[in-house]
Amino acid sequence: MDISWSNIDNLEDYFITYLLYTESKTVSQISRIRNIPISEVNDQLIKAKLEIKSANKQKVESSKDVLDKFLELGKDSRLEFMENLSLDQEKELNFKRELYKRILKEKNADDLIVLIWATGETRDDRFLKILHPLTNHRHSDVRRITYSAIRKISSPKSKAVLEKGLYDSNPQTRQYCAKALAKVGDDNTVDILQRLIKNKKANEKEYVIRAYNEAILALKYLTAGGEKCYEDV
């Protein structure tokens, strides 16, 4: 939007009033110059400012990349966004590329948590390359959501990382790791879980102990050649 005297032939009448205002003319002076009532001058200024504000907002919106827009969505809208992406392979691939790059440089913990959450929704194990190191993040919520994403991806490549997560300071993280290990763990995992139950049962959260026991049962059943005995929730 070119609001200037050089473009006056293409502007609405109220922008002429606005241009006079930007030259430090008072409302009463503009009223006399344009030969219109003061009330009309005020109305024109309001209209011009609102239109300029709207145009600037549209400009900002159009300049945002797909991840900036994604971060502004609520959780339900993000899920819908991800579902729609799956209908277009090219857009989905581009989103994943941008997501990968953004996670590597994102400093804001709240935005990083949302971005990590999105990797879990993709179920794409290529993200594990950046997710595994993030389990060492100093922010407990970042670690928690990272383990949650790893759990959703559910790859055997994450077994050692998930076993490490059983010792995390966040109880929900320990629960996530146990649930994930029910699918990708082995006999060594069972030994770790049994030791944790024995050594920490008195001080551990009940829901964490329950996740440990369920993981042990699932892994023993798998070792015996059966199917998973419960579904991850």
Side-chain angles (χ1 to χ4, degrees), residues 93-135:
L93 181 59
N94 180 64
F95 178 79
K96 287 180 179 180
R97 285 171 176 162
E98 294 304 313
L99 182 61
Y100 192 102
K101 291 187 289 186
R102 181 68 173 266
I103 288 174
L104 290 174
K105 62 182 183 181
E106 184 59 59
K107 301 299 182 184
N108 181 283
D110 290 336
D111 287 346
L112 182 59
I113 285 169
V114 174
L115 297 171
I116 294 170
W117 169 85
T119 66
E121 296 304 307
T122 69
R123 307 301 201 270
D124 191 332
D125 67 0
R126 288 175 292 186
F127 282 110
L128 293 176
K129 186 175 181 180
I130 56 174
L131 291 177
H132 285 172
L134 282 169
T135 60

Side-chain angles (χ1 to χ4, degrees), residues 10-27:
N10 299 314
L11 294 175
E12 295 290 345
D13 190 59
Y14 49 85
F15 281 122
I16 298 173
T17 298
Y18 178 79
L19 285 170
L20 290 169
Y21 179 77
T22 61
E23 292 181 346
S24 300
K25 299 289 192 297
T26 65
V27 171

Side-chain angles (χ1 to χ4, degrees), residues 162-191:
L162 290 166
E163 287 176 345
K164 181 195 71 174
L166 293 172
Y167 299 92
D168 192 270
S169 60
N170 185 295
Q172 196 171 19
T173 294
R174 299 195 292 274
Q175 180 196 33
Y176 287 164
C177 290
K179 285 177 174 289
L181 286 164
K183 292 183 177 181
V184 302
D186 56 17
D187 289 342
N188 180 64
T189 308
V190 172
D191 291 339

Side-chain angles (χ1 to χ4, degrees), residues 70 72-81 117 121 152:
F70 179 73
E72 292 177 354
L73 299 174
K75 185 174 181 181
D76 290 342
S77 296
R78 288 184 201 129
L79 286 169
E80 184 178 354
F81 180 93
W117 169 85
E121 296 304 307
K152 290 177 182 177

Side-chain angles (χ1 to χ4, degrees), residues 162-167 174-201 204 208-220 230:
L162 290 166
E163 287 176 345
K164 181 195 71 174
L166 293 172
Y167 299 92
R174 299 195 292 274
Q175 180 196 33
Y176 287 164
C177 290
K179 285 177 174 289
L181 286 164
K183 292 183 177 181
V184 302
D186 56 17
D187 289 342
N188 180 64
T189 308
V190 172
D191 291 339
I192 293 172
L193 290 167
Q194 288 176 331
R195 285 199 301 273
L196 285 171
I197 292 173
K198 180 180 179 181
N199 298 330
K200 295 188 174 184
K201 189 171 184 179
E204 185 57 278
V208 177
I209 293 295
R210 184 166 60 251
Y212 288 174
N213 281 316
E214 289 175 346
I216 290 169
L217 288 173
L219 290 171
K220 285 185 174 180
Y230 81 101

